[in-house]
Amino acid sequence: MSEEKTYGLIASFATPGEVMHAAENVRDKGFKHWDVITPFPVHGMNEAMGLKRSKVPVFTLLGGATGFFGGMLMIWYMNAYDYPIAVGGKPMFSPMYAFPVSYELTILLAAFGAIIGMFLLNRLPMHYHPAMKHDAVDRASNDRFYIVIESSDPKFEEKTTTALLNEIGGSEVTRIDD
Amino acid sequence: MSNGKSADTAAPAHGGVSAEIWKFRALIVGVAGLAVTLIGLFAADPVRVGLGTLIALVFWLSIGLGMWFLIMLFHLFDAGWGTVIRRPMEHATTIFPWIGIVFFVLVVYSLFADTDQGLWKWMNPDNTVVIAGETATVDDDLLYHHKSPYLNNAFFILRSLLYFGIFIGVATVLRRASFSQDRDGNGGWTTVCRKWSAAGIILAALSVTFASLDWLMTLEFHWFSTIFGVWFFSASMRAALAATVLVCLLLVYLGVFQGVFKRSHLYELGRLSLAFTVFWAYIAFSQYFLIWNANIPEVTYWYVNREHELWWWVGLALLFGHFFVPFIYLLFYKNKVQPGRMIFICVWILAFHLLDLYFNILPTKQAESGLPYYNFGVNLWDVAAFVGIGGICFWAFMQSYLGQKAIPVRDPRILESLNHHE
């Protein structure tokens, strides 16, 4: 067992309030590679963990812009360049009639951008996570709250981190193997 | 519960002597502005002054109507977050009767005006209309005769009275129920509001749609657009959301909404503003696109006229200033949660909403060539009407505001609203 690398330390908390204050403590200690596991979304946890706003909107914007300009370009290419046909006395190309299609493509690709961005940033799909090894973690989807600090964090040091987790009110502090 | 405490301290005493003074000043400004406008109606070009007054009137009315819609939406969806925001909007719906009085002055003026001096040209059979590049009288106009069973003076007045009756009636019931709940704490008022909102939202949709058709679209009664009512609704919602943000932030600045109206409320209003920016653009573009695509002279002339002189630039300003700028701006999270940035874009939206009303209303009077008689421009009579009606609206708001609690303190959802979180 001792040859196995340590993934990190997990500590259990009884209430959302306790885990929130504990998270603030961990944040203030300067840890970067750590996470909070809760059975439901806890409002204010983003601030307590010091998380920045998600980068997903950037992907959404890129997707949307691709859709809009791609749509315009496609219609210009088809109707005005590759095979020009005059319809109803209208110009060969006008942003007017190209707009509805470009608009729909904007929405479609913005939605794709958002979903793909979310998957990429969350590193999904993830079929295995070391925290699942911990027996009690089942309760994280029921009635317990957990903080996991990963050993990859530069500040991680098994003894002091264990002490920290105990000090901030965590119980059953356990090592998780990778 | 620090939030609950701040609600209690904010609730009873607000305003005081200085608020009374501001109310009085608003009334003076309002009466003076309207007096100047009335002078203009007889001393200057009456059609120009009348159209300017109609623009100002519709501007302030649209804010009230949008807020009225929002109040009913909050009740219907049992919305928790918006409860604190609802109260200033309820005060704002007291403007309807005063707007109604100004409106009927314009109607009465148009009914008795000399030939070609009224606002709605179909009101007088001797008025001039332009048909296919030639001038004729309304009486000679076959199109008018086909529309006359609907579009005649008596029915127009009756409908207008009905619209104002609905605006005032439903808004008053909702406002009184909300104020009554402050006093007796009876949760039943919430149910009363919900039931009235269920009927009210349908009445509101119909009355606002038909009011915009009657009052604005028939200024140029040859032209028709089935989406016009939706355009007016979307424009009203944008104006109302922008005004709500400004009023709430003013109340925060005055200390009344300190700790009550929070970042999360501002964020929700910003998100709604973004949604209605897109909705307005969708509707305004659809109207243009369908007319452009069908290419029928009966309706295309409306836009062709608006490519004349400065109107071309006004149209482009609306496209970029009323859509692209707020759209891109409101996409960013920070712009929706920082008060200064929201104030900027809300003032911007209101300014372009006013420009949108100029674009829709002012070019309706046609010269003999069929082109717009008036170029785009703002004159002092416009300013007088805008400030005058605005002053009356502000006075009506203060009248209601000073007698009531700052937030609906006994609404069942008030705590949820105070603790609202992103």
Side-chain angles (χ1 to χ4, degrees):
Chain A
M1 289 294 276
S2 55
E3 298 105 334
E4 281 189 42
K5 224 177 130 248
T6 307
Y7 170 76
L9 289 167
I10 188 162
S12 157
F13 297 84
T15 67
E18 283 174 28
V19 77
M20 183 105 93
H21 292 303
E24 284 165 357
N25 261 309
V26 177
R27 172 196 70 193
D28 294 342
K29 289 279 184 308
F31 284 94
K32 296 282 171 245
H33 300 180
W34 63 289
D35 209 350
V36 178
I37 310 173
T38 60
F40 48 79
V42 178
H43 288 311
M45 189 54 91
N46 287 358
E47 290 81 4
M49 288 180 70
L51 294 180
K52 295 214 176 65
R53 268 189 72 78
S54 148
K55 299 264 186 308
V56 171
V58 177
F59 289 86
T60 315
L61 185 68
L62 285 177
T66 310
F68 184 80
F69 294 109
M72 285 284 175
L73 194 67
M74 176 182 80
I75 291 168
W76 168 81
Y77 175 77
M78 293 192 304
N79 287 7
Y81 182 79
D82 189 43
Y83 203 99
I85 304 177
V87 180
K90 297 290 193 301
M92 292 298 176
F93 178 76
S94 161
M96 283 303 140
Y97 69 76
F99 196 87
V101 172
S102 305
Y103 173 76
E104 302 296 345
L105 275 172
T106 308
I107 293 171
L108 182 70
L109 295 199
F112 283 164
I115 290 197
I116 292 169
M118 188 273 285
F119 266 73
L120 285 177
L121 291 174
N122 283 327
R123 292 182 214 138
L124 293 173
M126 187 187 291
H127 297 298
Y128 168 76
H129 193 277
M132 288 176 181
K133 277 188 185 171
H134 184 50
D135 294 338
V137 93
D138 291 356
R139 292 185 69 186
S141 63
N142 185 15
D143 61 350
R144 293 294 278 186
F145 304 83
Y146 293 90
I147 287 184
V148 183
I149 301 183
E150 295 170 24
S151 61
S152 59
D153 193 290
K155 297 223 164 192
F156 184 88
E157 207 273 300
E158 194 165 336
K159 255 191 174 162
T160 51
T161 308
T162 308
L164 171 72
L165 285 170
N166 279 318
E167 184 194 319
I168 60 180
S171 54
E172 305 155 29
V173 180
T174 320
R175 203 181 78 183
I176 304 175
D177 294 327
D178 202 6
Chain B
M1 276 289 154
S2 60
N3 281 323
K5 203 175 162 196
S6 62
D8 281 335
T9 48
H14 58 280
V17 183
S18 67
E20 286 286 349
I21 291 171
W22 278 104
K23 187 180 107 181
F24 182 68
R25 282 178 187 161
L27 183 64
I28 297 292
V29 168
V31 171
L34 286 176
V36 172
T37 312
L38 202 62
I39 292 168
L41 205 55
F42 292 98
D45 174 0
V47 179
R48 182 64 185 79
V49 175
L51 288 173
T53 313
L54 187 66
I55 290 166
L57 181 149
V58 171
F59 176 84
W60 293 106
L61 178 66
S62 66
I63 292 174
L65 291 175
M67 290 183 178
W68 180 45
F69 265 106
L70 281 168
I71 292 167
M72 289 189 285
L73 284 174
F74 283 163
H75 284 310
L76 280 178
F77 287 92
D78 206 5
W81 70 274
T83 309
V84 295
I85 300 166
R86 208 182 70 219
R87 184 49 53 87
M89 299 197 295
E90 285 166 350
H91 298 317
T93 56
T94 53
I95 67 173
F96 296 149
W98 311 107
I99 299 268
I101 290 171
V102 180
F103 177 76
F104 278 101
V105 169
L106 284 181
V107 172
V108 169
Y109 169 77
S110 292
L111 285 174
F112 294 102
D114 292 339
T115 308
D116 290 335
Q117 303 290 302
L119 293 187
W120 292 274
K121 40 188 167 255
W122 50 267
M123 278 187 172
N124 183 345
D126 297 330
N127 281 348
T128 311
V129 288
V130 182
I131 307 165
E134 287 179 35
T135 53
T137 61
V138 171
D139 202 30
D140 292 334
D141 185 359
L142 196 65
L143 282 174
Y144 175 69
H145 284 287
H146 277 285
K147 294 182 186 203
S148 61
Y150 180 83
L151 208 58
N152 58 68
N153 293 347
F155 196 21
F156 178 85
I157 294 167
L158 197 68
R159 285 197 306 271
S160 298
L161 285 170
L162 184 67
Y163 305 147
F164 274 108
I166 293 170
F167 301 165
I168 296 167
V170 176
T172 305
V173 168
L174 294 173
R175 192 169 58 241
R176 291 226 174 119
S178 177
F179 294 167
S180 299
Q181 193 169 51
D182 277 2
R183 287 189 287 276
D184 62 18
N186 185 351
W189 290 114
T190 301
T191 323
V192 169
C193 286
R194 196 175 304 155
K195 284 179 179 162
W196 273 89
S197 298
I201 200 105
I202 295 168
L203 289 173
L206 290 173
S207 59
V208 170
T209 301
F210 278 93
S212 67
L213 301 187
D214 281 349
W215 302 344
L216 307 183
M217 204 170 87
T218 71
L219 286 166
E220 208 161 311
F221 67 93
H222 284 167
W223 185 74
F224 47 89
S225 164
T226 47
I227 212 166
F228 195 83
V230 190
W231 160 78
F232 184 68
F233 164 71
S234 64
S236 301
M237 291 300 278
R238 293 187 72 186
L241 287 164
T244 304
V245 168
L246 294 178
V247 169
C248 289
L249 288 175
L250 179 68
L251 289 173
V252 171
Y253 172 76
L254 293 172
V256 178
F257 265 20
Q258 196 80 51
V260 171
F261 182 80
K262 294 187 298 189
R263 182 185 164 106
S264 52
H265 297 113
L266 191 59
Y267 180 51
E268 303 294 359
L269 287 171
R271 294 203 293 179
L272 279 173
S273 297
L274 174 63
F276 277 99
T277 298
V278 179
F279 183 59
W280 175 88
Y282 191 87
I283 300 306
F285 175 77
S286 295
Q287 181 174 287
Y288 185 91
F289 176 65
L290 291 176
I291 288 172
W292 181 88
N293 207 31
N295 211 5
I296 299 166
E298 265 183 296
V299 281
T300 47
Y301 83 94
W302 197 86
Y303 280 110
V304 172
N305 277 1
R306 280 159 181 76
E307 291 178 2
H308 188 60
E309 292 181 337
L310 279 178
W311 293 113
W312 164 256
W313 298 104
V314 174
L316 285 182
L318 286 175
L319 174 63
F320 289 97
H322 207 24
F323 172 61
F324 278 109
V325 171
F327 172 68
I328 303 288
Y329 189 93
L330 286 169
L331 276 180
F332 292 92
Y333 173 76
K334 273 197 179 148
N335 294 347
K336 283 178 284 198
V337 294
Q338 290 185 2
R341 293 189 184 191
M342 274 301 278
I343 289 171
F344 168 75
I345 200 66
C346 288
V347 171
W348 177 285
I349 287 173
L350 286 172
F352 276 92
H353 173 55
L354 188 60
L355 190 68
D356 193 17
L357 293 175
Y358 269 88
F359 184 77
N360 274 275
I361 294 173
L362 199 52
T364 51
K365 184 176 164 65
Q366 288 162 287
E368 282 188 13
S369 60
L371 291 170
Y373 185 76
Y374 298 114
N375 197 358
F376 172 69
V378 179
N379 60 36
L380 284 176
W381 307 112
D382 291 357
V383 177
F386 183 81
V387 173
I389 298 171
I392 295 291
C393 290
F394 191 70
W395 168 78
F397 180 92
M398 293 296 283
Q399 184 89 334
S400 173
Y401 168 83
L402 286 175
Q404 304 299 332
K405 301 220 185 295
I407 55 169
V409 277
R410 284 169 162 178
D411 189 287
R413 295 254 176 205
I414 191 66
L415 205 60
E416 190 182 339
S417 184
L418 287 167
N419 291 323
H420 179 61
H421 204 284
E422 283 168 33

